[in-house]
Amino acid sequence: MADAGWFSVAQCFKVYVLFLVVSLSQCQTLSTACIEVKKAYAAKGFDENEVPLKAVSGEELTICPRTETCCTRDMEDKLTSLSRKEYVRQLEESFKLLKTTFASRTKKFDDFFVQLIDKAQLDLHEMFLQTYGLLYQQNAAIFTKLFTDLRHYYKGKDMNLSEVMESFFSKLLQRVFELVNSGYVFTSDYLGCVTDKMNDLKPFGEVPIKLSTQVRKAFIAARTFVQGLSIGKDVINSVFE
């Protein structure tokens, strides 16, 4: 990247040198040529007095002609610096659209997916409230916790989605078991034993397996995608640091 950047700077600088060379070719003597170079050099914002009155040896130069020339090492350094600044400016302009695209796409997708989570939670809440009423309201915290964990995972928190879903269905099973057997009081050990047998008893059928698989696929893909966009934006920004 550094070599490519310097190559572009050198190419840009050669444009300035070419401009000076063209000026030289239009003159009859090197002394007259240096006068023209003074004009061209001053047009770039530099002090024309830095240009020699007569041609000097270019033996120590690296880009300007190494024969007799109106270019000095100091002029060469300043033109190189100017070329580098111009190169960076043009590079920043060309990357500006790309940076904006990454930022806008990241925000757009993030807003879209968060809205999907919010809508899913709201739809489930309204459906369960209409179906189970007060019974659901008294146990809504179980569902709220699930969606909170899903949001945290999507935002990058180090969580295991399989464990999140397993915990949700375990707590749901325990609560349903207590409600169905409301005439009894169960210890935490007993409820834990009921949970351990969930895979064998399958009180919710195949729903836990199917739902957990779908949730993992959707959230892993979404988080990976939005993180990829964010990393791309950071890489572009780091180019100019």
Side-chain angles (χ1 to χ4, degrees):
M1 178 68 180
D3 292 340
W6 170 247
F7 176 77
S8 298
V9 171
Q11 289 293 99
C12 193
F13 175 65
K14 287 180 180 179
V15 174
Y16 289 104
V17 175
L18 179 61
F19 183 88
L20 299 181
V21 172
V22 171
S23 297
L24 282 172
S25 66
Q26 295 175 342
C27 306
Q28 295 180 349
T29 66
L30 284 175
S31 296
T32 304
C34 287
I35 295 175
E36 296 300 320
V37 171
K38 281 179 177 287
K39 295 178 181 178
Y41 191 68
K44 299 300 178 184
F46 298 111
D47 185 358
E48 66 174 29
N49 293 323
E50 296 175 357
V51 181
L53 295 175
K54 296 182 180 180
V56 295
S57 172
E59 184 177 353
E60 296 182 354
L61 303 180
T62 56
I63 300 180
C64 288
R66 303 189 68 181
T67 56
E68 287 194 335
T69 177
C70 297
C71 181
T72 65
R73 184 59 181 271
D74 184 57
M75 291 172 60
E76 192 176 64
D77 290 342
K78 289 184 177 180
L79 286 171
T80 299
S81 177
L82 178 63
S83 299
R84 183 180 293 109
K85 291 178 181 179
E86 178 64 17
Y87 167 71
V88 171
R89 184 188 66 79
Q90 293 180 2
L91 190 63
E92 286 179 338
E93 289 181 356
S94 64
F95 271 92
K96 186 178 296 183
L97 177 60
L98 189 58
K99 290 166 62 177
T100 302
T101 300
F102 266 97
S104 63
R105 293 289 174 83
T106 301
K107 185 179 186 306
K108 184 177 293 185
F109 180 82
D110 183 61
D111 291 344
F112 168 74
F113 198 77
V114 169
Q115 288 175 4
L116 285 182
I117 299 174
D118 293 343
K119 188 176 187 306
Q121 183 175 10
L122 179 61
D123 289 347
L124 184 144
H125 172 77
E126 292 178 345
M127 180 183 69
F128 277 25
L129 185 61
Q130 184 177 4
T131 305
Y132 300 105
L134 182 61
L135 186 62
Y136 162 72
Q137 286 183 301
Q138 293 174 339
N139 299 278
I142 298 175
F143 298 90
T144 301
K145 177 66 165 56
L146 171 63
F147 281 97
T148 298
D149 287 342
L150 292 177
R151 287 188 183 89
H152 286 165
Y153 174 83
Y154 170 69
K155 291 298 184 180
K157 187 174 181 179
D158 186 15
M159 303 176 71
N160 187 312
L161 277 183
S162 295
E163 293 178 356
V164 169
M165 298 304 297
E166 183 178 345
S167 175
F168 165 71
F169 281 108
S170 294
K171 291 178 181 178
L172 184 60
L173 173 60
Q174 290 179 5
R175 193 66 189 119
V176 170
F177 186 82
E178 288 179 307
L179 291 173
V180 172
N181 300 279
S182 57
Y184 301 90
V185 177
F186 302 100
T187 64
S188 57
D189 290 339
Y190 189 92
L191 292 175
C193 182
V194 171
T195 301
D196 292 339
K197 296 297 182 179
M198 183 170 63
N199 291 334
D200 297 328
L201 299 175
K202 294 186 177 181
F204 303 116
E206 298 297 325
V207 172
I209 296 176
K210 292 181 178 180
L211 184 59
S212 296
T213 300
Q214 293 173 349
V215 167
R216 284 200 308 272
K217 286 182 178 180
F219 276 80
I220 290 175
R223 187 169 85 161
T224 301
F225 181 68
V226 78
Q227 286 180 345
L229 289 176
S230 181
I231 291 173
K233 181 182 64 176
D234 292 340
V235 169
I236 294 173
N237 290 334
S238 68
V239 171
F240 302 103
E241 292 181 355

